[in-house]
Amino acid sequence: KRYCMQGKPHLYVDDLKSKVGICLVVGGSGFLGSHLVQALIQNNCSVRIISHISVDHLDPRVQVMVGDICDPDFVLEACKGVDTVFHLASVIATSRLMPKSAKEQIYSVNIRGTENVIRACQESEVNRLIYTSTNNVVFDREIVQGDETLSYAEQIIDLYTETKIEAEKKIVAANSESLLTCAIRPGGIYGPGDNCMLKRFVEALKKGTLRFTLGCAHTLGDCVYIDNLVYAHLLAARQLKKEASAVAGQVYFISDGVPANYFEFLKPLILGLGYPYPKRSIPYPLAYFLGFISELLYWLFHTSEPQLTRMSAKKVCVTNYFSIEKAKHELGYEPLVSQSEGVQQSLEYCKVLLEKTNVVKRPHIGWWISILGGMTTLGIVAFNESAHHFFSTYILSGIPMAYFQMIFYTAVLIHIVEAIYSLRLTRLHHLKDVSIGWFFQTLLLGFASLRLLLKEIKNA
């Protein structure tokens, strides 16, 4: 049920408190976790959370335990006296090529962390364990109206899917008479507070990089509004009962029940934020190749985590949507919020996010080509005798190599000064979160980048 109290929508499940007892939310400070915690509090449940960072924005009735789920002793301590555990914590990274440290973190949290949660539940005599998985675990081909009988994916191109498959298998295998388990498989999660899909979308809009769609317009996939997903978790916990529970040891696909093209789904948000909808599309093979290049650069040079990867390109460009009939029949699940309503509520959040988002704006690609190409050419002519001989013979004669070297050193010095100036400007005007980005871009492009920063500060 969904009702309103003091103008705010609440989620309510009959007799939830008596069914689930004391609840522990692993990953309770995240997007899904904070919404689930709020729903549990609204249902008068006693709530404890595990968070890897200190939090002060949660309800004061929530007991917060700060620590690492990779620490088995900490997780065991957190599970003591608990009746129901919601395990939401995971590291999302849709790449396979990445630095070793990033790989280790994903395996540690997603697999070993899950093992710690299962072991702690068993030793602490927890009654129920609900795991948040993903519909990626079966996605390695086109899927139309897929159901829970599908086998796990075999052609895996990202570590997130690989680790979620392994973790979900462990959760299902842990089901027993003393510990009842089940797994929820959502599609793309969105809604107010989303710091993943919607945050990246808003950043791309503000950077001006969302100029193309990917793949074909008829490609469909699943999304789920945050309230709908929280509701599914509450229902799963309520149905995990000792008396011959049909839910125990099962998995469930959860979505809004309306498959949609990813960019058509975003279209009301793009237009609602005052941006033009992209008219051109990048075909899937090219998007997949660009994703591979982004992953390769991330792996080789430890660049920032890429937004476009092979998996994200595949997810957007290859149809993959799933039936929620099993969840309807066994959990009693029905989407409480329609997708159109969810998108409208997300628009208001995106407007706020757009105002708060600081990005490093990119000069036109012509500037990148001309400045980087010009500096490279100047450096070759200045320090390579053969290149200087060719240049002085066929283009400009009589100019000594030392003259080109002086020009090169002067240009580099100017770029350094402009980069330091940009760093100072960003910190003076409260743009510290993007100061390093502006510094390196200005170091490469000089005034072409600096003028954009000055314009950004003026408009602010």
Side-chain angles (χ1 to χ4, degrees), residues 15-75:
D15 199 27
L16 182 66
K17 179 181 178 181
S18 65
K19 297 292 184 181
V20 301
I22 299 173
C23 298
L24 171 66
V25 182
V26 182
S29 61
F31 172 43
L32 173 58
S34 59
H35 281 265
L36 177 59
V37 166
Q38 189 61 35
L40 290 169
I41 290 295
Q42 290 163 3
N43 281 273
N44 299 313
C45 298
S46 298
V47 183
R48 180 186 302 170
I49 75 165
I50 286 178
S51 174
H52 69 288
I53 57 173
S54 298
V55 288
D56 55 8
H57 61 278
L58 293 178
D59 192 294
R61 290 169 289 181
V62 177
Q63 180 187 356
V64 179
M65 297 187 68
V66 179
D68 187 352
I69 66 168
C70 299
D71 179 355
D73 293 333
F74 168 74
V75 179

Side-chain angles (χ1 to χ4, degrees), residues 328-388:
K328 287 182 176 181
H329 178 68
E330 297 184 6
L331 299 181
Y333 171 74
E334 287 286 348
L336 297 179
V337 182
S338 68
Q339 192 163 96
S340 59
E341 183 185 359
V343 169
Q344 186 58 43
Q345 293 183 17
S346 298
L347 176 59
E348 300 307 311
Y349 167 68
C350 287
K351 287 179 180 179
V352 175
L353 201 58
L354 187 67
E355 293 180 2
K356 294 181 177 179
T357 301
N358 295 319
V359 298
V360 180
K361 290 193 174 180
R362 308 298 185 193
H364 188 273
I365 191 170
W367 284 107
W368 289 85
I369 295 172
S370 59
I371 293 175
L372 294 181
M375 288 292 291
T376 302
T377 302
L378 179 60
I380 293 173
V381 172
F383 297 99
N384 184 281
E385 292 186 2
S386 298
H388 174 262

Side-chain angles (χ1 to χ4, degrees), residues 139 141-143 219-221 284 313-320:
F139 174 54
R141 60 201 179 281
E142 182 175 277
I143 299 174
T219 301
L220 301 177
Y284 173 46
K314 186 174 183 178
K315 193 72 176 173
V316 170
C317 298
V318 178
T319 290
N320 62 111

Side-chain angles (χ1 to χ4, degrees), residues 425-453:
L425 282 175
T426 53
R427 300 198 172 174
L428 282 175
H429 293 275
H430 310 292
L431 298 171
K432 190 175 180 180
D433 52 332
V434 289
S435 60
I436 299 301
W438 279 112
F439 173 81
F440 282 109
Q441 179 173 280
T442 307
L443 186 64
L444 289 173
L445 301 183
F447 188 70
S449 173
L450 183 59
R451 70 184 184 89
L452 278 183
L453 174 58

Side-chain angles (χ1 to χ4, degrees), residues 123-134:
E123 294 181 12
S124 301
E125 298 183 353
V126 171
N127 297 322
R128 302 165 200 82
L129 172 57
I130 299 92
Y131 177 64
T132 307
S133 184
T134 169

Side-chain angles (χ1 to χ4, degrees), residues 145-346:
Q145 202 71 5
D147 62 25
E148 288 79 359
T149 63
L150 290 170
S151 59
Y152 286 111
E154 295 180 357
Q155 299 177 1
I156 303 170
I157 56 176
D158 69 303
L159 289 183
Y160 178 65
T161 298
E162 177 186 319
T163 55
K164 293 298 275 188
I165 290 174
E166 187 67 24
E168 185 186 281
K169 287 180 178 179
K170 293 179 182 295
I171 292 289
V172 173
N175 182 66
S176 65
E177 291 184 1
S178 57
L179 176 63
L180 304 179
T181 71
C182 73
I184 302 295
R185 295 174 171 176
I189 310 169
Y190 70 98
D194 176 13
N195 58 1
C196 187
M197 183 170 75
L198 292 183
K199 184 174 184 290
R200 290 184 174 186
F201 156 70
V202 169
E203 287 177 350
L205 274 182
K206 199 159 186 178
K207 286 179 182 176
T209 56
L210 191 59
R211 299 178 181 178
F212 303 90
T213 61
L214 302 179
C216 302
H218 64 261
T219 301
L220 301 177
D222 277 334
C223 289
V224 58
Y225 185 66
I226 185 64
D227 281 4
N228 294 335
L229 183 56
V230 168
Y231 185 53
H233 280 76
L234 299 181
L235 291 173
R238 188 178 185 276
Q239 295 297 334
L240 278 176
K241 47 194 176 184
K242 298 290 186 180
E243 306 84 31
S245 174
V247 176
Q250 299 297 310
V251 297
Y252 297 93
F253 289 113
I254 297 296
S255 71
D256 290 339
V258 184
N261 176 269
Y262 178 74
F263 288 96
E264 286 299 318
F265 168 81
L266 291 176
K267 189 173 184 178
L269 298 177
I270 296 173
L271 299 178
L273 293 173
Y275 288 83
Y277 185 74
K279 296 181 179 179
R280 291 175 290 181
S281 178
I282 297 176
Y284 173 46
L286 178 57
Y288 189 89
F289 174 73
L290 293 174
F292 171 71
I293 295 300
S294 298
E295 290 183 57
L296 191 62
L297 293 174
Y298 178 41
W299 176 49
L300 292 175
F301 302 108
H302 295 201
T303 59
S304 58
E305 186 178 336
Q307 293 190 16
L308 179 61
T309 63
R310 288 172 293 168
M311 185 58 179
S312 60
K314 186 174 183 178
K315 193 72 176 173
V316 170
C317 298
V318 178
T319 290
N320 62 111
Y321 65 92
F322 303 85
S323 169
I324 57 174
E325 287 304 312
K326 182 179 177 182
K328 287 182 176 181
H329 178 68
E330 297 184 6
L331 299 181
Y333 171 74
E334 287 286 348
L336 297 179
V337 182
S338 68
Q339 192 163 96
S340 59
E341 183 185 359
V343 169
Q344 186 58 43
Q345 293 183 17
S346 298

